[in-house]
Amino acid sequence: MKLDPIFTVKNKKLYKIADNSEVDTSTLKRIDIPWSTVELEPEAYNEEYLASLREQLKAMETSESFAVLVPVVDKPLESPEDEELFINAYNHTARRVKDCTSVAGLELVPQLKDKQAFMDTLAIKHAQYIYFTKAENPLSDDIAVY
């Protein structure tokens, strides 16, 4: 099941496709998703946690609010093998919430060396996602559209 995109990016700003209105990214709920919580051991995923995340995201749909899923690197992300496990864990996460229209996209973590591989892997089945980065001001919780 592929969802149609709800958002688009123009000049590094987020817009709703339906009415071309600019979206204030500070209104997007950031949901931290610790890697160690998603992936209990290499390629063994916490389906209970992911089901709970899906329920939370489905509940957001009723209020027409949107979330940015924020991968949290809480295990070593140092080798190409670590990067592959990381990408696979969040691709699996995306599969578990694939029908949640409340997901605007994911934040790109600075520790990830191959951000393009992350985006390309998720785009195979989740092309509707927008990717975000932390705002340049480290004191701000705002996010910027990638």
Side-chain angles (χ1 to χ4, degrees):
M1 166 187 208
K2 289 189 179 184
L3 295 177
D4 290 328
I6 295 173
F7 301 102
T8 190
V9 177
K10 300 176 196 169
N11 298 318
K12 295 192 175 188
K13 293 187 180 191
L14 188 65
Y15 292 85
K16 268 194 171 181
I17 292 173
D19 61 5
N20 204 35
S21 61
E22 186 174 345
V23 177
D24 178 0
T25 57
S26 70
T27 64
L28 301 175
K29 180 177 181 174
R30 297 177 79 245
I31 300 176
D32 289 345
I33 303 176
W35 183 12
S36 65
T37 302
V38 170
E39 186 180 54
L40 302 173
E41 56 186 68
E43 298 185 25
Y45 305 112
N46 185 341
E47 298 300 340
E48 202 171 294
Y49 171 79
L50 295 172
S52 173
L53 174 64
R54 183 182 179 282
E55 287 175 19
Q56 179 183 2
L57 294 167
K58 289 306 265 182
M60 290 177 66
E61 290 177 9
T62 60
S63 63
E64 294 187 20
S65 52
F66 296 94
V68 174
L69 305 182
V70 181
V72 175
V73 179
D74 60 353
K75 323 196 265 190
L77 184 57
E78 299 161 349
S79 69
E81 294 78 18
D82 294 340
E83 290 222 352
E84 184 177 352
L85 288 170
F86 178 85
I87 291 169
N88 290 342
Y90 288 96
N91 190 44
H92 185 80
T93 300
R95 279 198 304 266
R96 291 297 175 254
V97 300
K98 68 182 175 200
D99 65 335
C100 297
T101 58
S102 60
V103 178
L106 288 91
E107 187 172 297
L108 296 171
V109 297
Q111 300 95 321
L112 189 62
K113 290 177 183 67
D114 194 351
K115 292 173 182 55
Q116 193 61 53
F118 181 84
M119 294 185 289
D120 290 347
T121 300
L122 270 67
I124 293 169
K125 298 236 176 173
H126 311 286
Q128 78 277 15
Y129 289 153
I130 302 293
Y131 295 91
F132 301 85
T133 59
K134 287 288 274 176
E136 292 179 18
N137 178 352
L139 300 177
S140 170
D141 281 337
D142 290 343
I143 51 180
V145 180
Y146 184 79

